[in-house]
Amino acid sequence: IVFIGYGAGVDKVTKSDKENCNIHFHPAVSSKRLMSYTRCASVGIFFVEENKGLSYKYSFPNKFAEYILAGLPVIVSSHFEYLGEIVINNKLGWVVGGDTNILLALINSLKPEVVEKVKIDVNLYSDSISYLEEEKVYLKIFSSHVWNFRLL
């Protein structure tokens, strides 16, 4: 697994990088260079162990679009409900519960030929995504949860 960037967990990741042959850390790179690194990955991962609230449940992170546009299948924890629906409905990867053991078991069981097969669906889907289309879905979700919200 490769971690790129910085943040609160960087010390833990750099320590793991030194102690494990299958964990790698790379300092942040420019946005112009990031896609070339992303395309080298096998899968993209969105995982949290616990429900963090509605902002996670309905989120559509830029990183998700980046992974899809790079042709990567994704592994999404079930706490990202909206992403999970997209992944399942479009066969873009796998949705797992919020248990790290389940995540690790899935990662260890993935076969290259299965990942390559999923990449076909990812590439088909990547041609269809845009933030303008996602905006329509967000407005529909938002309007169903907030009283007196009107679509403009």
Side-chain angles (χ1 to χ4, degrees), residues 42-60:
S42 299
V43 297
I45 300 173
F46 291 90
F47 185 82
V48 291
E49 290 183 278
E50 59 189 55
N51 188 341
K52 302 273 187 179
L54 291 177
S55 64
Y56 279 77
K57 184 176 181 175
Y58 297 119
S59 68
F60 187 83

Side-chain angles (χ1 to χ4, degrees), residues 23-87:
I23 297 175
H24 309 282
F25 172 75
H26 193 289
V29 297
S30 71
S31 58
K32 290 179 183 177
R33 293 180 51 210
L34 184 58
M35 189 58 86
S36 64
Y37 284 89
T38 303
R39 283 191 179 109
C40 293
S42 299
V43 297
I45 300 173
F46 291 90
F47 185 82
V48 291
E49 290 183 278
E50 59 189 55
N51 188 341
K52 302 273 187 179
L54 291 177
S55 64
Y56 279 77
K57 184 176 181 175
Y58 297 119
S59 68
F60 187 83
N62 290 340
K63 190 60 67 182
F64 182 83
E66 179 184 316
Y67 288 158
I68 298 302
L69 292 171
L72 299 182
V74 290
I75 299 172
V76 176
S77 86
S78 58
H79 297 304
F80 292 100
E81 185 177 310
Y82 178 59
L83 292 183
E85 287 178 22
I86 293 171
V87 169

